[in-house]
Amino acid sequence: MESFSETIQLMRVARALLELSQEDLAELAGVGRQTIVRIEAGGKGVAFDVVGRVRTALEEAGVVFLPSGPDHGPSVALRRSGKSRKSK
């Protein structure tokens, strides 16, 4: 399981994989766009449960958060059945 700071770093990558704008992700997660901005800037002042809601929204949209392995750190990937903006 990745650390909180690693999760924060991966969220911007996850959003990019899904081709979502900050506004799109905010809507999916039920938060304001400024919350997404703060998360992507390092997460200072953002509650753990809010970060969890954003992560859940990313996962429901088709991202898989992958744990570290012996040869790599944590990462994200698209689930094969996930939907990106282009496929909508």
Side-chain angles (χ1 to χ4, degrees), residues 4-5 12 16 26-27 30 32 42 44 51 60-61 63 68 71 75 79 82 84:
F4 181 74
S5 64
R12 186 174 196 177
E27 185 177 325
K44 293 186 182 188
V51 171
E60 289 174 354
V63 167
S68 297
D71 299 323
S75 61
R79 194 173 336 118
S84 71

Side-chain angles (χ1 to χ4, degrees), residues 29-75:
V31 301
R33 189 186 71 79
Q34 274 306 116
T35 299
I36 304 302
V37 170
R38 288 195 337 255
I39 288 171
E40 291 183 356
K44 293 186 182 188
V46 181
F48 288 116
D49 66 313
V50 173
V51 171
R53 285 185 10 219
V54 174
R55 178 180 171 147
T56 297
L58 289 165
E59 291 171 332
E60 289 174 354
V63 167
V64 178
F65 286 80
L66 302 168
S68 297
D71 299 323
H72 61 82
S75 61

Side-chain angles (χ1 to χ4, degrees), residues 15 20-28 31 33 36:
R15 181 174 64 80
L20 296 172
S21 68
Q22 290 176 331
E23 292 83 8
D24 293 335
L25 178 54
E27 185 177 325
L28 287 174
V31 301
R33 189 186 71 79
I36 304 302

